[in-house]
Amino acid sequence: VVGVFTAPAIPFLRLLTEAIRQGIHICMNGWIPGVGFIIGALFCWGSKYGYYHSVCLPLILVEMETGEAALCGAIDEATLVCVSAGICLANLIVTPKLDDQEGTQETLELSRRGLRINLLFGDFIEVAYPFMERSSLVNAAGYLASGLSTELLTGNSKEVLSSAYLPLPVAIILAQNQLKIALAFATAFIVSFSGAVISNLLPAVKKAE
């Protein structure tokens, strides 16, 4: 029934979705330095405040309508998956100092699960939210990682089409320019990981002083 009633609008919808795809790629063409950084930070912010499923995911689906991978999919992988995975790994290597033992154990269990899901199955950014809210440094590192990694994806957008709902190695292999997209993903991971490690060490340093 839905198909029957929407069939007359299909030609117009095709024009609309093509315009959306072109708009996404024009924004990420790298002509204006810093635009990629802003888009990455907004992607991270939007996910934190409830806009992922209403804005980000629909854009990914519109891009994939023609059977190709998505530029927003690559941004998703960088700003959400790799950022979250970096924070989770940092918690496992340098355990954050919490007041209660139960909270520490929960952090470790959540981080293990989050790291596994993000690297092997795809998008699980939600696991990083408690850690980003707990520490302004982790939060800032997450936004910085998102912005820098998305800026690295700017340029020829056709080279870095990918998806966040794949194992990380597959998301890299999917892209034409595997070196470029791997560098963006690594940047997101390393920056968020470094910020979380420093944040987890700070309470111990203050206590020692």
Side-chain angles (χ1 to χ4, degrees), residues 4-186:
V4 169
F5 281 102
T6 58
I10 287 175
F12 303 101
L13 294 175
R14 283 180 177 173
L15 292 175
L16 177 61
T17 55
E18 181 60 28
I20 292 172
R21 283 190 291 274
Q22 292 299 322
I24 292 170
H25 288 250
I26 288 172
C27 290
M28 287 288 291
N29 59 21
W31 291 352
I32 304 177
V35 171
F37 186 97
I38 295 172
I39 290 174
L42 285 174
F43 220 94
C44 182
W45 178 87
S47 176
K48 282 187 67 179
Y49 291 97
Y51 293 100
Y52 179 80
H53 291 97
S54 61
V55 179
C56 302
L57 184 57
L59 288 177
I60 294 172
L61 297 176
V62 166
E63 277 200 83
M64 299 181 73
E65 178 188 17
T66 58
E68 290 186 309
L71 179 57
C72 283
I75 296 172
D76 188 349
E77 183 77 19
T79 62
L80 306 185
V81 175
C82 292
V83 169
S84 179
I87 293 171
C88 289
L89 181 61
N91 288 336
L92 295 175
I93 293 178
V94 181
T95 306
K97 305 298 187 297
L98 301 177
D99 294 334
D100 59 297
Q101 184 63 32
E102 183 178 348
T104 300
Q105 189 60 34
E106 288 177 354
T107 294
L108 292 175
E109 291 297 329
L110 187 60
S111 296
R112 287 192 193 97
R113 185 165 181 261
L115 181 65
R116 182 174 65 253
I117 293 176
N118 277 307
L119 295 183
L120 299 180
F121 302 104
D123 205 329
F124 189 26
I125 176 61
E126 294 84 359
V127 72
Y129 292 159
F131 312 127
M132 295 176 75
E133 291 302 316
R134 183 188 299 161
S135 168
S136 57
L137 179 56
V138 175
N139 194 49
Y143 280 108
L144 179 62
S146 299
L148 291 175
S149 59
T150 306
E151 184 69 23
L152 290 172
L153 291 173
T154 58
N156 186 351
S157 57
K158 291 291 185 181
E159 293 183 342
V160 290
L161 303 182
S162 187
S163 175
Y165 295 92
L166 296 167
L168 182 59
V170 178
I172 294 173
I173 293 171
L174 192 63
Q176 293 180 13
N177 191 333
Q178 296 170 2
L179 180 60
K180 183 175 182 178
I181 201 169
L183 177 62
F185 292 169

Side-chain angles (χ1 to χ4, degrees), residues 184-195:
F185 292 169
T187 299
F189 187 92
I190 292 170
V191 172
S192 61
F193 171 82
S194 301

